[in-house]
Amino acid sequence: MKINAPNKNIPELVSFNILAMGCQIQVNLNITSLSLLCSKIEIEQHTALLASDVQQKLTYWEHIFSRFDDSSELMRLNNHTDQWRDVSAELFEVLQRAIQFVPKTQGLVTPTLLQSLWAAGYKHSFETLPKLSMPTVPVIDPSATLNINSTAKESFQDTPVVNYDNQNIERIQLRRLADGQYQVYLPAGMALDLNGYVKGWCAMQLAEYISQIHDWQIPCLVDMGGDIAIGMPKHQGTDVAITPIAWGVAIAKPYIIDSKQKQVHDDEDVAILKIRSGAVATSGQDYRRWWYDGRWQHHLIHPHYSRPVTSDVLTATVLATDTMTAEVYAKYCVMLGLKAAMAWLNKNHIAALLIDFDNKVMATSALDPYLVKPNLIASIGA
């Protein structure tokens, strides 16, 4: 995704970028009201201070949630199973919410898949993983690389291999003690990966901090590598939100693999959305891919098979009230596959856009009010 200025009555915007938590983070601030009160120099100084504040928060959260740092709080928990462990309020909250999503997604989106990610070669940060395949691998083709239409017995998902005892989310226990301390019991043999949940959680935390807690309390849009949260200030001393501005969000074409086995990206947009509140997130098989064990791998693990999912959904974009929900439901759509995902989305009146391996774009009817250029969509409400 990329951020566009609204088409009409364009407000004064300022933005800054931070590289953290394995992704590029862009914070966009609507300074229209500030520009009437502060000089340009004052705004630049305060923006720099805010950027520093945001960086500190991200660094703090990274020390909690990173699965690439054995000293992080998450990895200390993973390395000390079968016992109660003290945890921070942040880890407790994210894990609790992640667990709540498991039954909502039929168990397909679960935080208990770290070992499967390791088995797929995702042991180090994504930017360090090999992105080029062997010369014999063809241009990306769902039937060849992901066995989507294959009936061969060697298909990735012919035989479940998961150890369900290690994936049973009900075996995780959480409690808060009388003194306010949070604790988690992680069963032996289980390891957590909270990365996807954390991106959404952090995006929303930052948006709410900037728009409702920080001294400025101004409208903002936070983009954490495609997980987008909109922050809306409230009238001081009340719980009534001020009139929100419209933010333009462009949904770009998915990444593809070209004839030279390089990952490339078409700058053309498949849709442009206008949103005033809430969040939007995209998940898919196109970008976070790497070459390991003789095949392309990606980060969306099917819990029944402990392997990257086989799906005809290349990417899914979902709108929701908060970014973690949007992120989880976008993953769920990829897991379900095109037909089942569209049925589930329309049944629950969820605004979403799916792209298949033929680059066909389909949107739910609930997305229609957010579309700036609906003519770009091949099918709406299918």
Side-chain angles (χ1 to χ4, degrees), residues 3 52 79 92 138 170 284:
I3 309 305
S52 177
N79 292 328
F92 189 92
E170 294 179 355

Side-chain angles (χ1 to χ4, degrees), residues 22 48 62 94 105 149 190 205 239 245 260 288 308 354 359:
E62 197 160 21
V94 173
T105 60
N149 300 314
M190 186 179 287
Q205 289 287 314
D239 291 329
I245 68 167
K260 296 181 180 179
R288 203 161 287 269
L354 308 183
N359 276 322

Side-chain angles (χ1 to χ4, degrees), residues 26-37:
Q26 185 179 68
V27 177
N28 304 270
L29 310 171
N30 176 8
I31 61 167
T32 305
S33 59
L34 285 179
S35 63
L36 302 175
L37 304 173

Side-chain angles (χ1 to χ4, degrees), residues 67 115-125 128-130 290-293 297:
R67 66 177 183 84
Q115 294 172 352
S116 299
L117 283 169
W118 284 343
Y122 201 175
K123 296 182 179 180
H124 308 285
S125 58
T128 68
L129 300 180
W290 61 94
W291 185 256
Y292 181 77
D293 195 25
Q297 311 278 357

Side-chain angles (χ1 to χ4, degrees), residues 80-100:
H80 293 83
T81 58
D82 197 25
Q83 59 184 282
W84 285 99
R85 296 280 299 180
D86 292 345
V87 299
S88 64
E90 292 87 353
L91 194 152
F92 189 92
E93 178 183 345
V94 173
L95 178 56
Q96 186 176 55
R97 290 199 62 193
I99 291 172
Q100 292 169 350

Side-chain angles (χ1 to χ4, degrees), residues 350-367:
I350 297 174
L353 181 148
L354 308 183
I355 302 176
D356 68 10
F357 274 88
D358 293 324
N359 276 322
K360 182 180 178 181
V361 182
M362 286 150 285
T364 62
S365 55
L367 188 70

